DNA sequence: AAACCGTGGAT
DNA sequence: TATCCAAGGTT
């Protein structure tokens, strides 16, 4: 009986990919490369988990220095569990998506107190921890514990959508693609298979101008045989970013200290440090002027800082005043020596605002 | 389930 | 300059 659809030889595809990976894998600080694995070196689940959380929606290049810094400061997950939250937030500052840092801390505490300092070795056990979703649970299970878990991230979505020429748009086509990944994932070396799929997506099956001639799947790829891999994956259209306006107030007292405060734990930049600001709204009125300053002073306009967040663009009017008399407002506010700014949990947008008012704020003192 | 949640590099 | 998007998760 003739089949209407010719199924691919899944084991042959996985084998071809692993051969490619043995030769062309990337060397990464958190990775046990195939030659080391052959010598019996095992991945450290703490390292794999830490890297996976940092890599969520974040480039390898951006993660590398943060990964090294965290590992040097907190060598074991129990060290991270015992660390003050403020230290963790400050160390994460600049990486973005700060809920990840809050959940990282919660997860480390859960592993330390509920699992005896040892990560669960199953996808289900990992999935129950804070900050670990479908992707990360599968990735840690496969990479750290050699579990046959179907790992699907943005890279894998691109590879699979092209290999099978999936015309349905993301994110609706995710279950369909996950089933394809599960069918492809081998019992032998599932961790390397997952990393190989992601390396392939990152280096060969790229969003633009993929290097199809170098791809181990070149003879099986339906998108390539249809002559346009760049058409995949199909995605739903995204919405335009609205603009929000606000003002930020950089106040310095007579002792070279700057007025800072802590943002609420939830929401945008949750738990991070900021200079006093107004609300950020779409309104064009007096809210972006010195009239809405935290206290009356000779505020000087220092221009407008633009910063693009995930779902809106912010235009912050920056105001500056110096030699003000220091005062205690609430327990959410404090005066911090400018020399200590580097150690604060300041998100990038706040560093921009401070630099607009004090250009040398982050230059090391001579 | 759609909205929310950062940042910087590549094109 | 504008757009995309990178090892996604939570609510």
């Amino acid at each position: 009986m003739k089949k209407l659809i010719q199924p691919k030889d899944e084991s042959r595809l996985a084998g071809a990919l692993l051969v490619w990976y043995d030769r062309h894998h990337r060397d990464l600080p958190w990775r046990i490369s195939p030659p080391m694995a052959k010598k019996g070196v095992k991945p450290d689940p703490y390292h794999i988990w830490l890297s996976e959380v940092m890599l969520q929606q974040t480039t390898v290049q951006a993660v590398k220095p943060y990964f090294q810094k965290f590992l040097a400061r907190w060598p074991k997950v129990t060290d991270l569990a015992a660390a003050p939250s403020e230290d963790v937030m400050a160390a994460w500052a600049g990486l973005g998506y700060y809920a990840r840092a809050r959940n990282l801390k919660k997860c480390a505490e859960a592993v330390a107190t509920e699992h005896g300092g040892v990560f669960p070795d199953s996808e289900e056990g990992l999935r129950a921890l804070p900050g670990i979703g479908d992707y990360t649970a599968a990735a840690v299970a496969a990479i750290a514990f050699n579990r046959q878990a179907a790992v699907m991230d943005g890279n894998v979505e691109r590879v699979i959508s092209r290999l099978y020429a999936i015309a349905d748009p993301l994110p609706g086509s995710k279950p369909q693609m996950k089933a394809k990944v599960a069918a492809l994932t081998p019992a032998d070396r599932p961790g390397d298979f997952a990393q190989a799929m992601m390396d392939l997506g990152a280096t060969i099956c790229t969003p633009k101008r993929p290097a199809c001639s170098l791809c181990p799947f070149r003879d099986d790829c339906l998108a390539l045989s249809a002559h346009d891999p760049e058409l995949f994956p199909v995605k739903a259209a995204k919405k335009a970013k609205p603009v929000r306006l606000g003002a930020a107030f950089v106040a310095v007292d007579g002792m070279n200290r700057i007025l800072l405060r802590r943002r609420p734990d939830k929401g945008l930049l949750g738990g991070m440090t900021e200079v006093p600001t107004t609300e950020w709204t779409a309104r064009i009125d007096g809210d972006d002027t010195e009239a809405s300053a935290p206290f009356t002073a000779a505020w000087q306009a220092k221009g407008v800082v633009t910063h693009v967040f995930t779902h809106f663009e912010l235009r912050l009017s920056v105001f500056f005043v110096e030699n003000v008399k220091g005062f205690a407002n609430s327990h959410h506010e404090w005066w911090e020596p400018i020399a200590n700014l580097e150690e604060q949990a300041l998100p990038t947008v706040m560093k921009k605002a401070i630099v607009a008012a004090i250009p040398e704020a982050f230059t090391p003192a001579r």
Side-chain angles (χ1 to χ4, degrees), chain A residues 158-204:
Chain A
R158 190 166 53 254
V159 172
I160 292 294
S161 67
R162 289 174 178 174
L163 182 57
Y164 295 94
I166 293 174
D168 299 328
L170 283 168
S173 55
K174 256 187 163 178
Q176 181 185 349
M177 303 203 320
K178 177 110 175 191
K180 299 289 191 186
V181 179
L184 277 175
T185 302
D188 183 45
R189 301 178 67 191
D192 279 350
F193 175 82
Q195 296 179 89
M197 287 287 279
M198 295 190 279
D199 277 21
L200 188 70
T203 64
I204 303 290

Side-chain angles (χ1 to χ4, degrees), chain A residues 109-304:
Chain A
E109 290 169 354
V111 170
T113 65
E114 298 169 23
H115 299 274
V118 180
F119 277 88
D121 64 356
S122 73
E123 202 173 346
E124 307 73 49
L126 290 159
R127 181 66 178 79
L129 291 166
I132 298 187
D134 289 340
Y135 162 76
T136 305
V140 175
I143 299 170
F145 299 111
N146 213 39
R147 297 280 191 154
Q148 191 174 9
V151 176
M152 194 172 70
D153 73 325
N155 289 303
V156 179
E157 286 173 358
R158 190 166 53 254
V159 172
I160 292 294
S161 67
R162 289 174 178 174
L163 182 57
Y164 295 94
I166 293 174
D168 299 328
L170 283 168
S173 55
K174 256 187 163 178
Q176 181 185 349
M177 303 203 320
K178 177 110 175 191
K180 299 289 191 186
V181 179
L184 277 175
T185 302
D188 183 45
R189 301 178 67 191
D192 279 350
F193 175 82
Q195 296 179 89
M197 287 287 279
M198 295 190 279
D199 277 21
L200 188 70
T203 64
I204 303 290
C205 195
T206 48
K208 302 294 178 190
R209 299 171 58 93
C212 298
S213 66
L214 304 178
C215 182
F217 295 158
R218 60 186 175 279
D219 294 334
D220 300 274
C221 182
L222 293 183
L224 180 56
S225 62
H227 303 109
D228 203 350
E230 280 190 24
L231 294 178
F232 302 91
V234 179
K235 294 187 176 182
K238 40 191 73 167
K239 298 191 292 189
K241 283 182 184 177
V243 174
R244 294 188 196 174
L245 305 176
F249 300 93
V250 178
V252 174
D253 70 3
M255 300 169 58
N256 258 348
R257 299 181 306 178
I258 184 172
L259 183 60
L260 297 180
R261 67 185 192 190
R262 182 166 306 285
R263 293 177 62 87
D265 282 330
K266 296 196 181 298
L268 186 71
L269 307 177
M272 299 296 284
T273 301
E274 67 175 4
V275 296
T277 82
T278 62
E279 297 291 303
W280 305 341
T281 71
R283 292 183 305 169
I284 303 177
D285 59 17
D287 272 8
D288 60 339
T289 73
E290 68 273 29
S292 50
F295 54 84
T296 303
W299 294 102
Q300 313 166 39
K302 289 290 186 178
V304 176

